[in-house]
Amino acid sequence: MRRASGGSGASGPSTNNPLLAVRLPAWRSRLLLFGLFCGFVSLAARAFYLQGGVSTQFLQRQGEARYARTLNVAANRGAITDRNGVVLASSVPARGVWAIPEEVDAGKRAVAQLAQVLEVPAAELRQRLAGQDRSFVYLKRQVEPQIAQRVESFNLAGIHTSREFRRLYPEGAITAQLLGFTDVEDRGQDGIELAFEHTLAGRPGLRHVIKDRLGRAVEDDWVREPIEGRDVRLSIDDRIQYIAYASLRSAVEASQAHGGSIVVLDVASGGILALTSWPSFDPARRDQMQGQALRDRAVSDTFEPGSTMKPFSIATALENGVVAPQSTFDTDPGWMRIGGRTISDTSSHGVLTVEQIVAKSSNVGTAKIALRLPAQALWDTLTAVGFGQAPRAGLPGAVAGRLRPPGEWRPIEQATIAYGYGVSVSLLQLARAYLVFARDGDIVPVSVMDVDSPAAAVQVLRPQTAQAMRRMLELACTDEGTAPAARVPGYSVAGKTGTARKLHDGRYSDSYVASFVGFAPASSPRVVIAVTIDEPHGARYFGGDVAAPVFSRVAAGTLRALQVPPQEPAYALAESDAADSARSVDSARSARSAPGVRSVQ
């Protein structure tokens, strides 16, 4: 009984333990309840803020960033063709490989396989995937479609491919400076690609893609379809371009020159049939796109033209009635002084007719003629044929050259400008200027675009003056002149050599620019061809030695390509004219001692 009562008595104290009988104050329970109520109100307000439209746009953007993307879709760039439809530049399908780094889950082995397929060092690939931009990074651009298919076969999360195009240039270095090139975004960077970017490029499209968590497209809609670029048709003739390139390269290498350039113009339209420079580069190899090879020398480089300027001075004198073709000038003793400066010829030629001054390229004779002209008259002719103005041929980088106003000319400057010093031109300017002799005194703009009808011509010289100059320039290509090497079997040719010293640090050096500009056939010109060789080395550096032979080869190939029928034996008439001219000089020498007869000195 005691144990039982003792057990029941033991339970009483545990129930009445003061530690278990603690009572909380009422205000604390109310505070806790109020805190819970505030928490539920805050959650409700946040839910309303997120779901009720206050921040809908932000949340949609965040959500779409995880499952939806708007992708740029490249447009096919237009092709560039020559006048006969031969493709000079075109685009072929390619693929871009890109990644969303935050979604990429690939081990070292998978990354190594991907790097091997893309031909990118594995370390570089890992560096790109670990970069700061976690939403998008290109792994490689413009890869072959077959390579892109292999990448897709790996099924790597976060690795994707997209449509691109890659530019092809079938002619390689032959048309490199003329056509230019594009960047990895297929945007024109130089040459025709840059000049006609808006025509060639088209407009890229936009595509909205929704993907599941595995990166598979479950919805794909066009936002804006791409608009393909338009083709550009050039005046270039692919056959003539190759002939010009091969002939120029051979001449530059043979003379160990720094470089060279050549322009071939269609006399009837002013269209550029060929335009090339050496050294050149292969547009398919971007490692070659540097330094001298990138320059389109014919368009962007200027030089002092030397004796190729003389025909314009002579033509101005003929046009103004100062001289006639058979007027004579005494060039003995082979030099003359003007204002303390000396002008000289390579040798003393004695008494020369105006025709022979051109044929033998006499500086003294040209200076004497030029000093009889008003400076304004010579300047008017030079500007009328395009000197001092950038040609609007549709080519980027065209330069204006240098031709100072006539009011600033001193007598020595007027004399030197007359034979090509103190003035600078581009080869394209010089070629275009010679159209005035090939076209009976008028001139048309030059263009690299193939046009249905040429622009309106501007008359600069009387037809009689242009015809007289053609005869003189034809004599220059005979054995009596400085350019017999310019002759073309079966055709008559006309033209003028130039050999000008180069300026280095403000002083004339022993480096030269050798040039030749001419047209063929001389009797009915079809093409004008201008050639420069920059700093030829060796004993043969004159224009007649290194530039005239290039003209001969290019003219022969061009006339065959244009199917111009051969003429009579090429130089029978010219040789006869040269003999007649020589006899007229002998007569003039005799007449100098006869009383009452006055010759032009």
Side-chain angles (χ1 to χ4, degrees), residues 199-255:
T199 301
L200 292 166
R203 189 182 71 175
L206 292 175
R207 203 172 186 90
H208 189 69
V209 179
I210 298 177
K211 297 186 177 183
D212 62 15
R213 64 184 183 85
L214 298 178
R216 297 173 299 191
V218 295
E219 187 176 335
D220 192 349
D221 293 316
W222 283 110
V223 176
R224 183 184 69 209
E225 294 192 19
I227 299 176
E228 308 298 339
R230 290 175 289 163
D231 295 347
V232 169
R233 188 184 186 94
L234 304 182
S235 59
I236 297 296
D237 189 307
D238 181 58
R239 302 164 299 173
I240 300 173
Q241 180 77 10
Y242 173 77
I243 293 167
Y245 171 84
S247 301
L248 178 68
R249 177 177 179 176
S250 176
V252 170
E253 292 177 344
S255 61

Side-chain angles (χ1 to χ4, degrees), residues 10 85 157 159 187-188 238 250 255 272 311 320 339 350 358 368 384 497 533 585 591:
I159 306 297
R187 294 180 298 225
D238 181 58
S250 176
S255 61
I272 301 173
N320 286 270
V358 175
K368 287 188 172 183
T497 58
I533 306 295
V585 172

